[in-house]
Amino acid sequence: MSVVGTLALVQMVALSVNFAGGVLVEPLMNEGGEFGFSASSVGLSFTLFFLAGAMLSPVAGWLGERYGPRKMMIVASLSYCGVMVLVAFVSAPWELWLSFGILRGAVQAIFMVPLMAAVSAWFRQRLGLATGLLWAASGIGPAVMAPLLINLVQGVDWQTTFTYFGLASGAFILLLTLVFRSKPADVGALAYGARAGDVEDSGISPEQERARAKVFNQHVRRTKAFWNLPAIHGLGCAGHGIILLFVVPFAIMKGLTFTEAALTLSILSLVSIPSRMLTPMIAEKYGTKPIMATCLMIQGLTVLMLFVSTEWWHFYLFAVLFGIGFGGEWTGYLVINRQYYGNGPIGSVYGWQMSGAQIGHAFVSWVSGIMLDMTGSYNLLFAVSAAMSIAGAVVTMTLEDTSKRLIGDWESAVPKVEDSDNADTRPASKAPSAAD
């Protein structure tokens, strides 16, 4: 489980600004503050962040398959440090769009795709437990960072906060690369739950691995789920993306203090922790489709509470209920990929699903900012949020039954490929059975 612990720490740091970013909207939009940017300008920075992630997530998945997650983690740690320092020196909207938007999105694609896909390589069994623990731990970062960021930005200043945060975060993640390994074969071990007769990746040359990934992806693209899962991820992320960005300024408008409003996001993140952990475990045992649809529906319906929220306890009650759905609707994708596609190399597949998620975030980040500038009201934003989540639940129910694999013996179609030194002429590994 050391790989889970390592990646949990990475996600706690790398995703903290992403999920806690809503607390930064008010300082950036405050007309009497340091920046005074418009809502559409701030929304565009998040849109560019998610668009960059959407375009680069499939590429990041492919790079992870080609060069290994550990090398990608080293690149990401150094890049994250540099990007956060650039964010510290923002003074104009275009600088925010470039640093906080495009460059941050590019780095996040590496953190979200190849590193998460690496978990699948370490677990033949109990993938739901591993994924649940990983996502649960990653919820701690935003819960801590939301009030911390807003207090540091207000109590110190923007430049100091992000300079030191970037340097410390990048250094910490870089240190974690010393103990992280891309796959069990790198340390002479077997994946958890692997049987003695299983052929592991250590017996496959890099050329054979690439041929195997190519055939796997060809088979996967013929399934309906390959196209539907990115769409569902996009709808779900559009639904909670509006909330993560705008619930804090909305609460402030309703009379809450900065700290009280930021606590809404902290409560939401904390409540999502058990939901993040339990969802993959329940999904692995009973099927991902019903649990994902239920969480999407909870996420959508609870948004309606915001139309009548005026007191602090209204927002905290909303955060508790919304957090249950939010924590569960997006944490089962590794499990549903295993249920549909077995133990194949899912880096690129997961990358396309993350691309759908990022497109959903990108769409609502910019459009909701424009709507807010035009109307001055949050009601339309929250109506769109609820509609997106509910639509995602409806599409989820059209998915295939997760009790059956969608692709057959695809490994029989993998050609035998010799490595560059002609040292490995072994055939492709035998696909694990559905009972693995």
Side-chain angles (χ1 to χ4, degrees), residues 416-427:
K416 185 177 71 174
V417 180
E418 296 183 359
D419 65 19
S420 56
D421 297 322
N422 295 318
D424 192 337
T425 59
R426 282 171 291 190

Side-chain angles (χ1 to χ4, degrees), residues 53 125 163 222 402:
Q125 298 177 9
T163 297
R222 297 170 189 158
T402 54

Side-chain angles (χ1 to χ4, degrees), residues 253-289:
M253 186 189 75
K254 289 295 184 178
L256 275 68
T257 67
F258 282 102
T259 303
E260 289 172 341
L263 190 56
T264 302
L265 275 185
S266 293
I267 293 172
L268 191 157
S269 295
L270 286 172
V271 171
S272 76
I273 291 174
S275 183
R276 295 179 195 214
M277 182 174 68
L278 292 174
T279 294
M281 296 168 62
I282 297 171
E284 188 175 43
K285 187 172 183 179
Y286 299 106
T288 312
K289 176 179 171 179

Side-chain angles (χ1 to χ4, degrees), residues 124 197-216 345 409-419 424-432:
R124 287 289 186 263
D198 289 345
V199 179
E200 294 294 304
D201 290 343
S202 56
I204 305 175
S205 69
E207 288 79 4
Q208 191 69 55
E209 286 183 354
R210 288 193 284 272
R212 186 170 177 264
K214 180 179 180 180
V215 172
F216 173 77
D409 186 18
W410 59 273
E411 290 209 62
S412 63
V414 180
K416 185 177 71 174
V417 180
E418 296 183 359
D419 65 19
D424 192 337
T425 59
R426 282 171 291 190
S429 61
K430 184 179 181 294

Side-chain angles (χ1 to χ4, degrees), residues 109-374:
I110 302 175
F111 283 126
M112 289 293 290
V113 181
L115 298 189
M116 285 301 302
V119 179
S120 186
W122 279 86
F123 291 86
R124 287 289 186 263
Q125 298 177 9
R126 299 294 181 88
L127 179 62
L129 174 62
T131 305
L133 290 173
L134 176 58
W135 284 126
S138 70
I140 298 173
V144 173
M145 287 305 299
L148 181 62
L149 277 175
I150 195 67
N151 282 290
L152 284 175
V153 169
Q154 288 185 322
V156 186
D157 58 63
W158 180 280
Q159 188 176 107
T160 302
T161 297
F162 279 95
T163 297
Y164 286 103
F165 176 78
L167 293 173
S169 300
F172 179 71
I173 297 171
L174 187 61
L175 284 174
L176 291 176
T177 64
L178 298 176
V179 297
F180 175 72
R181 294 296 180 269
S182 300
K183 54 187 178 182
D186 293 344
V187 291
L190 293 175
Y192 179 84
R195 296 177 299 196
D198 289 345
V199 179
E200 294 294 304
D201 290 343
S202 56
I204 305 175
S205 69
E207 288 79 4
Q208 191 69 55
E209 286 183 354
R210 288 193 284 272
R212 186 170 177 264
K214 180 179 180 180
V215 172
F216 173 77
N217 286 310
Q218 287 173 345
H219 280 71
V220 167
R221 289 191 181 100
R222 297 170 189 158
T223 66
K224 186 174 71 172
F226 173 80
W227 306 100
N228 281 345
L229 285 171
I232 295 167
H233 215 346
L235 289 167
C237 287
H240 66 241
I242 290 175
I243 302 303
L244 295 179
L245 280 180
F246 292 106
V247 71
V248 171
F250 176 68
I252 292 171
M253 186 189 75
K254 289 295 184 178
L256 275 68
T257 67
F258 282 102
T259 303
E260 289 172 341
L263 190 56
T264 302
L265 275 185
S266 293
I267 293 172
L268 191 157
S269 295
L270 286 172
V271 171
S272 76
I273 291 174
S275 183
R276 295 179 195 214
M277 182 174 68
L278 292 174
T279 294
M281 296 168 62
I282 297 171
E284 188 175 43
K285 187 172 183 179
Y286 299 106
T288 312
K289 176 179 171 179
I291 186 68
M292 186 184 295
T294 300
C295 289
L296 279 164
M297 189 62 71
I298 293 172
Q299 179 177 274
L301 293 177
T302 52
V303 172
L304 302 179
M305 296 174 60
L306 292 175
F307 287 95
V308 294
S309 295
T310 56
E311 304 291 337
W312 62 268
W313 67 269
H314 295 166
F315 287 94
Y316 296 167
L317 177 60
F318 160 77
V320 169
L321 299 177
F322 183 86
I324 296 172
F326 163 67
E329 68 93 354
W330 57 275
T331 51
Y333 282 85
L334 287 179
V335 175
I336 201 170
N337 282 318
R338 172 66 59 82
Q339 290 169 339
Y340 279 152
Y341 306 127
N343 293 315
I346 65 163
S348 294
V349 175
Y350 189 63
W352 282 110
Q353 291 163 12
M354 288 307 304
S355 181
Q358 306 281 22
I359 289 173
H361 274 295
F363 172 75
V364 298
S365 296
W366 190 33
V367 171
S368 57
I370 293 174
M371 289 191 297
L372 187 58
D373 279 342
M374 293 178 62

